[in-house]
Amino acid sequence: MMSYAIIGFGKVGQALAHAFARKNMEVAVASRRPAEALAPQARAIGPTVVAKSLRDALAADTIILAVPFEEHREVAKALPNWNGKTVIDTMNTLAPPEALDGLPSSAFVAKAFSGARLVKGFNHLIAAKLAVDPIVEGGHRVVFLSGDDEDATVPVADLAKQLGFAPVKLGKLNEGGALVQGRGGTWGRLVFQDLFKKAQ
């Protein structure tokens, strides 16, 4: 059984926790605050949402990064290496390209998570849309995924399906991934596009 953790418990982290709770899937949630501070909100979302310390949450196989972009390096420092872990980058930034070494934002993030397989996903929709049931009138709300490691993208697509979304793979981070990122004050063309797919 794959284990999951959401790091960051703001609007996006809580929205994704709702998605797990809706499907009765267990997920750990953690942030800079102690687990006890998150526990009441986690319990209110559902019994499968479990507040943990950052250290304990990072034992999960798949880590969903839902912190402000500027804080991702602090999370990366919490483990000596990220070998064998999949990191789903839900973060957005409008930092100029030079601040990101000219890289797509997720490729820049990947440098901090040495050894991890990074997939960008769940970032193009606002939290309010992520929080509600993605199955509407027989259609499934689309989430775009991109990553440089196809072996990592496949299980993230499977997770998206389990949560009721319709995953659409965009290819590598510097190709399709560029369509779902912010860059130098502008949003990629697929950001905020609320699309539905009729069949999974």
Side-chain angles (χ1 to χ4, degrees):
M1 280 285 289
M2 192 73 75
S3 55
Y4 301 98
I6 300 167
I7 309 303
F9 205 49
K11 287 180 181 176
V12 171
Q14 290 183 33
L16 289 168
H18 276 282
F20 277 86
R22 223 177 355 257
K23 296 297 183 178
N24 212 29
M25 292 171 61
E26 183 159 320
V27 66
V29 294
S31 77
R32 288 177 303 180
R33 294 185 292 154
E36 308 81 64
L38 306 184
Q41 181 64 41
R43 278 196 297 271
I45 292 172
T48 62
V49 181
V50 183
K52 293 188 177 183
S53 68
L54 181 61
R55 180 186 292 270
D56 288 346
L58 291 179
D61 305 308
T62 299
I63 307 296
I64 302 171
L65 265 187
V67 297
F69 186 85
E70 300 72 30
E71 294 176 19
H72 74 268
R73 285 195 189 98
E74 287 305 306
V75 178
K77 289 176 190 167
L79 287 182
N81 73 71
W82 290 77
N83 295 341
K85 293 198 181 290
T86 297
V87 172
I88 302 173
D89 174 17
T90 74
M91 304 178 298
N92 289 309
T93 179
L94 287 175
E98 56 271 20
L100 304 175
D101 301 337
L103 296 168
S105 61
S106 290
F108 183 79
V109 170
K111 293 201 305 181
F113 290 85
S114 177
R117 304 187 305 176
L118 186 131
V119 178
K120 189 166 190 72
F122 298 97
N123 70 294
H124 83 283
L125 294 169
I126 61 170
K129 292 270 197 267
L130 276 179
V132 296
D133 192 338
I135 302 171
V136 179
E137 294 175 12
H140 297 257
R141 181 167 267 127
V142 165
V143 292
F144 295 113
L145 305 177
S146 55
D148 293 340
D149 186 334
E150 176 66 17
D151 289 342
T153 308
V154 170
V156 176
D158 289 343
L159 169 64
K161 285 181 185 174
Q162 284 179 274
L163 295 176
F165 293 92
V168 173
K169 291 190 259 185
L170 298 178
K172 295 189 180 297
L173 295 173
N174 66 348
E175 299 165 353
L179 296 171
V180 286
Q181 69 161 359
R183 196 162 180 80
T186 58
W187 294 108
R189 284 178 303 187
L190 293 179
V191 177
F192 310 129
Q193 295 295 315
D194 190 16
L195 307 174
F196 289 84
K197 202 172 172 185
K198 275 297 180 193
Q200 278 278 47

